[in-house]
Amino acid sequence: MGSSISFTAAVDSPSEAGAKSIMSDAIDGRSAEELVAGIEKYVRAGGTARGLETKFDVVSKDFGVLVSQRFDIPGFLGGGSNTCHTWYRFDTQKNAAEIQFYANEVCFDRGEPSTTSCIKVHSSPVKVEFWVEAHELRNSGLVLKAMMDKVLSEMGTSAQSSAHQPSVSDASKLSVVSTPIEDSSVTPESFLEFFRKFLVTTMGATELPDESIIEERSGVLGFTSRSFVRHVMDRSGRTVRCYEFGEDESLQDLLATTHCQAHADPFRLEIWSVNEPGRRAGEREMKAVERLLQGVLKDMQSEA
């Protein structure tokens, strides 16, 4: 048994008719039970560390394993730090694992995972099936705060933003919200035109004949990856809707929609995003399970 393993994305699931999964090739030399045990041992030993963390913890939690990773955010991305949590639970009777990912402390405290990933190890032959269930979760964290801070800076205002604040429109929901903007030539009425120019002139985005704007964002130091966004102006609601497609240059695989709204009386900005729910089994998800299983098999091989 070597440490290499090959996967194929978006194939018919052997577990659920009509669904798509990521499937591995046959794995020789190990039973399904041994492989599930190897995954749990690898996680408990800290094998999922990326090497970019400033703090990394592994603890037992409710018959599972909780991995916590704190990352310091570079100053040019807004500064501060963010702790994400990944909760692994293993079912040795079904040779399966469930992995819930919480993007920050607020989501973890509220019991709101961004995604739930599923691993099922099949027997005869031994193969790994993997898929991700994305949840319709509202986001209001540091990445969005950094986006707002960039916009506020371009507006020339001294207004500040705060993450995880009650929404201006619905206090039961959380957003990134600015303090009142009182020292900028931009007004609530002119904000969308300002934002359009900001995207095209400052961010190098491309305006299309239908007035939507396509932006390509570069990856930064392992914290973010290259991604594509389609911006649409809703002038009646003074809102920019940003359709996030991740690395999909074809703009077909929608991951989330970010909303940036200008409020009046007083003039404030509000940003939030909502994940697009659904089952995912594409190239991005395949990279994640490939990295995990290669590490697991390497460790199992070294112990053989």
Side-chain angles (χ1 to χ4, degrees):
M1 178 192 70
S3 60
S4 63
I5 183 171
S6 297
F7 287 87
T8 305
V11 299
D12 292 337
S13 168
S15 303
E16 185 177 342
K20 296 294 183 181
S21 293
I22 295 160
M23 291 296 301
S24 77
D25 292 342
I27 300 171
D28 297 326
R30 293 290 182 178
S31 68
E33 292 77 10
E34 288 174 327
L35 189 54
V36 172
I39 295 171
E40 181 172 0
K41 184 175 181 180
Y42 178 79
V43 171
R44 288 188 180 278
T48 60
R50 293 180 57 189
L52 298 171
E53 300 92 344
T54 54
K55 186 176 181 181
F56 182 87
D57 289 316
V58 180
V59 297
S60 296
K61 174 180 170 60
D62 299 339
F63 305 103
V65 185
L66 181 67
V67 176
S68 301
Q69 298 161 282
R70 186 176 71 192
F71 299 93
D72 285 347
I73 300 171
F76 61 86
L77 289 178
S81 64
N82 183 66
T83 299
C84 58
H85 301 276
T86 309
W87 187 12
Y88 297 80
R89 284 176 286 186
F90 299 91
D91 187 335
T92 55
Q93 298 299 313
K94 296 181 179 179
N95 292 327
E98 181 181 271
I99 307 166
Q100 291 185 322
F101 175 72
Y102 301 84
N104 52 58
E105 293 277 21
V106 171
C107 290
F108 184 69
D109 291 342
R110 292 163 68 101
E112 298 177 342
S114 302
T115 59
T116 300
S117 301
C118 301
I119 295 175
K120 183 173 179 59
V121 183
H122 297 271
S123 302
S124 303
V126 175
K127 290 186 176 183
V128 174
E129 179 181 6
F130 179 80
W131 70 93
V132 176
E133 295 288 349
H135 305 301
E136 191 175 1
L137 179 71
R138 184 177 175 116
N139 302 297
S140 58
L142 295 179
V143 172
L144 294 178
K145 181 184 185 304
M147 291 171 59
M148 181 181 285
D149 288 344
K150 174 68 173 176
V151 173
L152 292 172
S153 176
E154 291 292 322
M155 291 171 63
T157 176
S158 60
Q160 302 293 308
S161 72
S162 297
H164 306 308
Q165 298 300 300
S167 167
V168 176
S169 303
D170 183 349
S172 69
K173 299 177 180 178
L174 299 181
S175 298
V176 177
V177 180
S178 77
T179 55
I181 301 169
E182 303 172 333
D183 53 356
S184 173
S185 60
V186 182
T187 66
E189 293 73 23
S190 67
F191 174 73
L192 291 191
E193 179 59 22
F194 157 81
F195 196 81
R196 183 190 69 79
K197 292 180 179 178
F198 163 71
L199 288 172
V200 174
T201 304
T202 304
M203 305 306 294
T206 302
E207 188 167 15
L208 301 181
D210 65 0
E211 296 187 345
S212 67
I213 298 171
I214 306 300
E215 179 189 7
E216 179 181 346
R217 297 173 180 166
S218 300
V220 180
L221 297 178
F223 287 92
T224 60
S225 58
R226 177 172 174 259
S227 62
F228 296 88
V229 185
R230 179 173 176 259
H231 303 270
V232 176
M233 307 293 174
D234 175 3
R235 301 191 185 281
S236 63
R238 292 198 295 260
T239 301
V240 184
R241 291 189 176 84
C242 313
Y243 298 96
E244 313 270 354
F245 294 94
E247 299 179 24
D248 178 20
E249 192 171 357
S250 69
L251 308 182
Q252 299 299 311
D253 184 17
L254 180 64
L255 302 181
T257 302
T258 299
H259 308 257
C260 179
Q261 185 172 18
H263 296 279
D265 302 323
F267 179 21
R268 288 182 290 175
L269 295 182
E270 178 179 2
I271 295 181
W272 72 96
S273 71
V274 179
N275 291 349
E276 185 72 11
R279 182 173 176 129
R280 302 193 176 280
E283 296 290 332
R284 180 182 58 257
E285 292 76 26
M286 186 174 72
K287 291 177 183 177
V289 69
E290 203 168 45
R291 182 171 59 247
L292 172 65
L293 265 295
Q294 284 177 349
V296 170
L297 292 176
K298 183 178 180 180
D299 273 12
M300 294 178 73
Q301 184 182 29
S302 68
E303 295 171 357

